[in-house]
Amino acid sequence: APGRVECFVWDPCAQPDPENVASESLDLITMVFFLSALPGQADVGRMLRFASRVLRPGGRLLVRDYGIFDMTQLRFAAKRGR
């Protein structure tokens, strides 16, 4: 239904925090292969603070990322000759 779902893509390395997202306005945030792509700890903290601010009480933060030495990471690294 229009108005029930709003999707947006945010690259925190290239853009400031989105200003059009109100505090406690989101029910769900997904981070797919996201945290491992950030260049430094400061960016991870900034992203998690943003997520904390915009999630409603009881909202969900879903994370899918690489684990250190998991099979997905090892296959990806092997393709690059590492």
Side-chain angles (χ1 to χ4, degrees):
R4 286 190 46 95
V5 176
E6 180 179 337
C7 299
F8 63 94
V9 176
W10 172 45
D11 179 352
C13 297
Q15 302 165 326
D17 293 355
E19 295 178 7
N20 61 337
V21 182
S23 294
E24 297 186 355
S25 63
L26 302 179
D27 294 310
L28 177 70
I29 295 175
T30 60
M31 294 182 190
V32 180
F33 301 112
F34 182 82
L35 296 173
S36 62
L38 295 174
Q41 294 298 320
D43 290 312
V44 172
R46 181 174 144 231
M47 180 57 220
L48 295 177
R49 283 189 299 278
F50 173 77
S52 172
R53 180 178 62 80
V54 298
L55 275 175
R56 288 187 178 142
R60 302 283 191 235
L61 174 62
L62 305 178
V63 178
R64 168 64 172 112
D65 218 313
Y66 297 113
I68 295 176
F69 303 120
D70 72 4
M71 289 306 296
T72 304
Q73 182 192 37
L74 294 174
R75 280 194 308 268
F76 184 68
K79 288 182 182 179
R80 290 193 269 167
R82 294 185 188 175

